Amino acid sequence: MYKKIYFFRLAFWVMVLAGCVMCDNHKREPVKIIFDTDMVTDYDDMGALACLHALANLGECEILATVSSTRGNGSVASIEICNNYYGRGEIPVGSPKLASAVSSANHPSHKKFLLLQKKYPKWFKYANSDESPDAVEVYRRVLANQPDGSVVICSVGFLSNLRALLESKGDKYSPLNGKELVAKKVKKWVAMACFYPKGHEYNSKGDPESSKIALRDWPTPIVVTDFQFGRHLYSGRALVEAKFDRNPVHDVYKADMLPCEKVTRHSWDQLEGHPSWDQSAILVAVRSEYFAFEPGEYEIIDNTGLNIWRGDSTSKNCRVVEKLSRANLGRIIDELMLRAQLLENIW
């Protein structure tokens, strides 16, 4: 096993030297992006936010807002801490006020995220997500101020905020109702959701009524990176093995990732790291050239959140399928999550 770990580390750092150049070659109009995350239910959310900031540092995206899809927990504070670590503490944050929205305060990972508040006490404002602004108000304010058809929404959690956005009324930010505002301002929605070809997926079943409404009524293209795509796309071991004094992303990964000596064939975490469901959505949103796409529709078909995929060559919506190998995608994700350290300690 440890020979495998050695070769993994060696291959990773060789990749980094090439990957830094590769990433810097992505010169294009920055993607305007709103990030919607459940955060404290798994730690790939923090990795996804790290990737998003790294891509923003490269000039590939502009982060307009970072909102939580869970309430009554430390999710917003964790988002704020990560934003501040990357020097973007001014990014708007919010959380759902919808009654059906999930409260994940009792989730096993929540206590580990709460430790971030003790280590970084000056980097957050909202210890409890319920104290933060209404995510729908954040969405409406941000969208109203952007050019038409310019915003990509990337959701890697429950769909409560997106359902509430669609159902919102005109306000001081825009006379348009939510569906009209989305149709006018949003280019596409990238969602980490659903199970292929049929089943229950964590994000989709958490608030099943909201998932059904959001997927059914969304007026612009939806791109889904489903459970199957990210399940065996691994990243994060290199981040865990790196040395940091102060890095909230490293702290969360270090606290949660299964040690190498405990990895088995059947464990979620492997030698290369943790499944990268949420990071895959970030890459789809910003570097879509890495992926192929199958047109069709995901639909929630009952009140438990059961979903089904229906292929349809005429659909504006699609699911992500492999183009660049998962192994290479994992290396790119690792490089992005480590990029803050690389810029600070290597160059």
Side-chain angles (χ1 to χ4, degrees), residues 146-290:
Q146 297 303 314
D148 292 354
S150 67
V151 178
V152 174
I153 293 174
C154 181
S155 71
V156 297
F158 308 114
L159 308 187
S160 311
N161 290 329
L162 300 176
R163 177 260 186 101
L165 172 61
L166 290 177
E167 295 180 340
S168 64
K169 307 298 183 184
D171 57 13
K172 62 183 177 181
Y173 304 115
S174 172
L176 301 177
N177 66 37
K179 191 171 183 179
E180 292 167 340
L181 186 62
V182 168
K184 185 177 178 64
K185 299 293 184 178
V186 174
K187 181 179 181 180
K188 63 183 176 183
W189 167 24
V190 177
M192 193 281 113
C194 299
F195 193 97
Y196 178 82
K198 181 179 181 180
H200 289 89
E201 185 274 329
Y202 185 78
N203 291 342
S204 300
K205 71 179 183 180
D207 181 359
E209 180 183 12
S210 292
S211 297
K212 183 175 185 177
I213 292 170
L215 290 169
R216 182 192 67 201
D217 295 345
W218 196 261
T220 70
I222 304 171
V223 182
V224 174
T225 173
D226 51 40
F227 174 88
Q228 280 70 20
F229 191 87
R231 171 63 184 93
H232 297 293
L233 166 54
Y234 298 107
S235 66
R237 185 69 66 186
L239 177 67
V240 168
E241 294 178 349
K243 302 299 182 183
F244 292 94
D245 292 325
R246 292 171 65 81
N247 180 336
V249 185
H250 173 265
D251 293 341
V252 170
Y253 268 71
K254 186 77 172 178
D256 274 314
M257 185 172 289
L258 192 68
C260 288
E261 62 270 19
K262 294 185 178 180
V263 167
T264 71
R265 289 177 53 204
H266 304 292
S267 57
W268 288 105
D269 292 349
Q270 293 294 306
L271 294 182
E272 299 89 345
H274 187 62
S276 305
W277 293 289
D278 295 352
Q279 294 98 323
S280 73
I282 294 297
L283 290 181
V284 170
V286 181
R287 294 181 177 175
S288 59
E289 68 272 15
Y290 290 162

Side-chain angles (χ1 to χ4, degrees), residues 1-12 237 241 260 263-265 270-272 331:
M1 175 180 288
Y2 292 101
K3 288 183 178 179
K4 291 182 179 179
I5 296 171
Y6 170 79
F7 285 115
F8 165 70
R9 291 174 180 168
L10 179 62
F12 172 77
R237 185 69 66 186
E241 294 178 349
C260 288
V263 167
T264 71
R265 289 177 53 204
Q270 293 294 306
L271 294 182
E272 299 89 345
R331 296 185 186 105

